[in-house]
Amino acid sequence: MKAIDPHIHMVSRTTDDYLKMAISGIHTVAEPAFWAGFDRSSADSFRDYFHQLTVTEPARAARFGIRHYCWIGLNSKESENLKLAEDVLAIMPEFIDRPTALGIGEVGLNKNSRNEIAVLEKQLALAAERNELILIHTPHLEDKLKGTRIIMDIIRADARIDPARVLIDHAEEHTIGEIKDRGFWFGLTLYPNSKGSPERAIDAVEIYGTDRICINSSADWSVSDPLSVLKCANEMRRRGHPEQAVNQVFYENPKSFLGQCPKFQAD
Amino acid sequence: MNDPYRPLTAPQVLDLYFIENRSRVLDIASFLDRIDRYAGADEARAEYRYQALMRTLRLLVESPGDRTRAIQLSLSDPTSEPLDSAVGLKAWGAWEGAQHEGN
C-alpha cells in the first residue's frame, strides 16, 4: 500500500529509516518544526534548523524517492522566552516562502501559560495574514483537554482562519469529538508508550468515521516508530475494513489536507 | 477495491485481543505489587498519581462503553484559566488538583 506520514521528525531519524519507509510504501512525508529536546539559545539556531528542514532533509529524502515537505514555526516549549519568540517570528516568512514549506506548524500550547498563548496568537495572526495552512500541537497528558479548548477558542475567534485549513494534532479520545464538532481536521499520533496505539487509533476511526482524520507517527528522537502508520493501517485491515477505507485514512486524507497548499504533491 | 466491510463480531474481538490484554492487566498488577514491595510504599500510595491511577481502575468497571474517554477525562485538568508561567513545569500524566477536589 501507499501511505503518507503527515507528521514525522526526520531530522532526528537515521538514513536507514528513510530506506525502510521507502521500501515499505511511505513515499511522502511532512515534517513540522518542533522542540529539539533542549531549548535553543538564539534565533540563529532556528535559522539553521529551518534551513535543515527546507534544504537538507528534502535532499536526503529524495535519495530514497521520498517527497519531503515541512512546516515552519516556533514550538510552544520555547515560547516562554518572548524575546526569542519575537526574533524567530521575524525570520519565519523567509522560510515559509520556500518551495517545500506547507504552512505554519507545529505551533500550539505545552503547559497552557500566558506567554505560550501570546506567542501562539502571533503565529496564528501571521498565518491568517498570509492565508497559510496551520498545524496545531496540543499539550501532553493532563494538559491536553484544557489546551485544546483554549487553542480552538483562539482560532475560532479569528474569522480570517477557516477551520478546514487547520489540523489539530495529537488528539485523543477526550478531545476528538470537540475538535470535529468545531470544524477542524484532527490528527492521531502513534507513540509506543505515551500517546496512542494502532488499536486505539482504529477504534477512533470506527467511532468518529474516516472524515477529516490523519494518522501520524510523529517519530522523533524519543521512543517512536517511523513505520507506525503502516502498522496502524494493518490494524484497520485485520479488523475487516475495506482497502478503500484504509487508503482513505492513510493516503487520501493527508493528501487532501496537505494538498490545500498548492506546493504539495503526493507520490 | 470494492470488497464489502465485514466487521468483526464481539466474540472475534475477544479472541483476537484477549492474550495481549491479559498481559497488560498483569503488567499493571505487577507494577502495583512492586510499589507495595519497595521502601516508601505508603508515600507512593498517597501520591496524587497513584490515587489517579486507582480512580481509573474503578472507571474500567463503572463506565461500560465509554471507559477510554472517562479515564482520559479523569486524568485531565478541567480548568480553563491559563498558567502565569510554564517555566520549569512539565506534564506528569495526572492532574494534581483532582486529589484536592476529592474527585
Side-chain angles (χ1 to χ4, degrees):
Chain A
M1 72 170 289
K2 285 200 300 185
I4 296 170
D5 193 335
H7 185 145
I8 186 166
H9 299 287
M10 293 307 300
V11 299
S12 302
R13 307 302 308 192
T14 65
T15 301
D16 285 347
D17 286 338
Y18 272 123
L19 175 61
K20 290 174 189 167
M21 292 163 67
I23 63 177
S24 302
I26 299 172
H27 299 155
T28 307
V29 300
E31 174 160 4
F34 83 141
W35 187 58
F38 61 93
D39 290 345
R40 283 158 279 208
S41 57
S42 76
D44 285 341
S45 292
F46 282 87
R47 176 174 289 283
D48 292 339
Y49 176 45
F50 294 157
H51 178 85
Q52 185 180 19
L53 289 176
T54 54
V55 176
T56 310
E57 285 307 319
R60 202 160 74 108
R63 292 176 57 202
F64 298 91
I66 293 176
R67 287 182 190 267
H68 180 284
Y69 295 93
C70 71
W71 299 82
I72 299 297
L74 175 64
N75 71 87
S76 50
K77 275 186 77 73
E78 289 169 287
S79 294
E80 277 296 316
N81 183 338
L82 293 178
K83 176 65 170 70
L84 175 74
E86 184 181 329
D87 292 346
V88 173
L89 267 141
I91 65 170
M92 280 172 49
E94 169 190 343
F95 293 94
I96 299 169
D97 284 338
R98 291 196 170 176
T100 55
L102 301 176
I104 294 184
E106 59 182 301
V107 298
L109 299 177
N110 177 49
K111 287 298 295 182
N112 306 321
S113 73
R114 296 188 191 284
N115 282 1
E116 290 173 13
I117 290 171
V119 173
L120 172 62
E121 287 174 333
K122 287 181 181 176
Q123 297 194 86
L124 292 174
L126 179 62
E129 288 162 15
R130 298 174 50 104
N131 193 30
E132 299 288 350
L133 288 180
I134 299 169
L135 178 65
I136 291 291
H137 167 93
T138 54
H140 303 286
L141 305 170
E142 72 270 23
D143 301 312
K144 184 177 297 293
L145 178 69
K146 175 178 177 177
T148 301
R149 287 174 171 167
I150 292 173
I151 291 165
M152 290 194 295
D153 286 345
I154 294 170
I155 296 174
R156 292 313 309 259
D158 189 333
R160 298 173 298 174
I161 301 176
D162 177 0
R165 291 173 56 79
V166 180
L167 189 146
I168 298 190
D169 218 335
H170 315 315
E172 294 185 17
E173 292 85 353
H174 55 322
T175 59
I176 295 170
E178 292 183 37
I179 294 170
K180 279 204 83 172
D181 288 347
R182 300 190 76 173
F184 298 100
W185 283 74
F186 69 100
L188 300 180
T189 296
L190 306 164
Y191 246 34
N193 292 338
S194 57
K195 294 192 174 79
S197 64
E199 292 85 353
R200 281 172 54 200
I202 302 308
D203 287 340
V205 171
E206 291 172 346
I207 293 167
Y208 294 98
T210 56
D211 185 39
R212 281 187 282 136
I213 180 174
C214 289
I215 297 178
N216 63 76
S217 72
S218 194
D220 56 14
W221 40 260
S222 189
V223 179
S224 50
D225 177 1
L227 298 183
S228 62
V229 293
L230 296 171
K231 293 173 183 174
C232 192
N234 196 55
E235 171 66 19
M236 190 170 174
R237 191 177 291 114
R238 78 167 175 159
R239 292 192 195 179
H241 291 271
E243 284 300 320
Q244 186 181 7
V246 177
N247 186 59
Q248 180 181 338
V249 171
F250 293 94
Y251 184 78
E252 295 296 340
N253 280 4
K255 184 180 172 187
S256 293
F257 176 72
L258 300 173
Q260 294 181 86
C261 175
K263 299 175 192 174
F264 181 81
Q265 279 189 305
D267 270 338
Chain B
M1 291 294 287
N2 294 320
D3 48 331
Y5 175 30
R6 293 182 295 275
L8 301 176
T9 64
Q12 286 174 317
V13 170
L14 179 66
D15 183 53
L16 189 59
Y17 296 98
F18 179 76
I19 295 295
E20 64 198 58
N21 284 289
R22 176 185 186 277
S23 173
R24 287 170 179 148
V25 168
L26 289 170
D27 275 343
I28 294 169
S30 178
F31 165 58
L32 297 176
D33 287 345
R34 199 174 312 135
I35 288 173
D36 289 343
R37 199 169 67 244
Y38 275 57
D42 288 343
E43 181 185 351
R45 286 191 293 253
E47 214 246 40
Y48 76 96
R49 289 175 296 171
Y50 186 96
Q51 295 298 320
L53 193 63
M54 290 296 110
R55 285 195 298 277
T56 68
L57 297 180
R58 288 192 286 276
L59 289 169
L60 280 177
V61 178
E62 296 168 359
S63 310
D66 195 29
R67 295 176 182 86
T68 317
R69 186 168 168 277
I71 288 170
Q72 290 272 27
L73 291 172
S74 83
L75 295 170
S76 295
D77 176 356
T79 66
S80 57
E81 189 68 15
L83 297 183
D84 287 333
S85 171
V87 173
L89 301 181
K90 59 177 274 192
W92 292 96
W95 182 55
E96 189 169 9
Q99 181 160 265
H100 307 302
E101 293 194 350
N103 292 337

